[in-house]
């Protein structure tokens, strides 16, 4: 990899021993550019990209969102990342058009300031256990599950984003910290979140159909 010129901004380094919350805090506080682009995040996360990238893209949706429309921006790239994990790709990659999507650095910091206390709350219970649920083969299965959740996250379902994002956050933390208990809890949360999103989505469709009939 070529060394960037001296004037080029450097993305913050991510240490292998850092907790997920420490990584997110460092990214938010030391990001060198005015915009936080998805490809920049992938470069910054390095070898830990999959679990942490799923976390970065999902966790903003578990808090009241100060950046309108963020779930739609995050959902499609998140689905692509998860599909690559399911396919066993060594590291994530995004097409240039999608990888250039970005949010403002200030917006990213506001989101992380709201999300990090929740991540730290989860982290108090995290520790490596049940290794059978964090094997490479299991990671591929989890990639497929997360891809389905990411699609639901991208859909404009009123109040349907939060349960899905919580499931993704729990799964991502389980992957990052090799905690099979969190993976199992995330799978249970995924089933609940998908059910809630499905019911809310069906209700929204029925409401739209009723309104359309009134107009016709």
């Amino acid at each position: 990899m070529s060394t960037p010129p001296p004037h080029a901004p450097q993305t913050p380094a991510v240490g292998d021993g850092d907790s997920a919350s420490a990584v997110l805090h460092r990214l938010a506080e030391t990001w060198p550019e005015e915009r936080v682009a998805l490809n920049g995040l992938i470069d910054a996360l390095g070898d830990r990209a999959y679990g942490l990238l799923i976390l970065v893209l999902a966790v903003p949706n578990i808090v009241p969102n100060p950046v309108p429309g963020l779930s739609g921006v995050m959902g499609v790239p998140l689905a692509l990342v998860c599909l690559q994990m399911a396919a066993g790709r060594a590291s994530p990659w995004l097409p240039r058009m999608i990888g250039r999507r970005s949010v403002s650095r200030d917006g990213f910091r506001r989101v992380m300031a709201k999300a990090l206390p929740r991540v730290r709350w989860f982290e108090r219970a995290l520790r490596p256990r049940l290794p059978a649920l964090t094997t490479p083969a299991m990671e591929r299965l989890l990639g497929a599950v997360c891809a389905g959740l990411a699609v639901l996250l991208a859909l404009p379902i009123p109040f349907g984003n939060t349960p899905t994002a919580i499931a993704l956050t729990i799964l991502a933390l389980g992957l990052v910290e090799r905690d099979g208990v969190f993976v199992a809890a995330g799978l249970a949360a995924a089933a609940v979140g998908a059910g809630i999103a499905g019911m809310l989505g069906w209700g929204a469709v029925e409401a739209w159909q009723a309104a359309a009939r009134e107009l016709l």
Side-chain angles (χ1 to χ4, degrees):
M1 183 181 294
S2 60
T3 303
H7 64 274
Q10 299 286 322
T11 53
V14 172
D16 288 339
D18 292 340
S19 67
S21 63
V23 170
L24 298 186
H25 177 75
R26 184 177 298 116
L27 289 174
E29 293 303 315
T30 64
W31 196 264
E33 299 175 283
E34 292 297 321
R35 307 285 300 178
V36 181
L38 294 174
N39 275 340
L41 284 173
I42 291 174
D43 291 341
L45 295 175
D47 292 340
R48 300 178 71 188
Y50 274 119
L52 285 171
L53 189 57
I54 292 171
L55 183 64
V56 169
L57 295 176
V59 77
N61 296 283
I62 69 174
V63 297
N65 203 332
V67 183
L70 192 61
S71 62
V73 173
M74 300 295 196
V76 173
L78 180 54
L80 290 174
V81 166
C82 294
L83 285 172
Q84 290 173 56
M85 187 170 80
R89 185 180 172 89
S91 59
W93 169 87
L94 291 174
R96 187 173 185 181
M97 181 177 66
I98 295 176
R100 292 176 65 181
R101 289 185 180 184
S102 65
V103 296
S104 72
R105 181 175 56 193
D106 288 342
F108 185 71
R109 286 176 176 168
R110 290 197 303 271
V111 168
M112 289 302 155
K114 289 180 176 290
L116 280 173
R118 292 161 173 83
V119 174
R120 292 185 181 114
W121 184 84
F122 282 124
E123 281 181 335
R124 288 184 295 182
L126 281 166
R127 63 181 184 273
R129 50 192 165 173
L130 290 183
L133 293 182
T134 59
T135 62
M138 190 63 186
E139 284 187 6
R140 295 180 71 165
L141 175 61
L142 292 175
V145 172
C146 290
L149 292 172
V151 171
L152 289 176
L153 188 68
L155 296 176
I157 301 173
F159 309 109
N161 291 334
T162 301
T164 305
I166 289 173
L168 282 163
T169 298
I170 295 172
L171 286 169
L173 287 170
L175 286 169
V176 170
E177 301 298 338
R178 300 297 177 189
D179 191 337
V181 170
F182 258 64
V183 170
L187 290 171
V192 173
I196 292 173
M199 287 188 295
L200 291 172
W202 182 254
V205 169
E206 287 190 328
W208 179 84
Q209 289 175 338
R213 285 194 294 270
E214 290 292 330
L215 293 174
L216 295 177

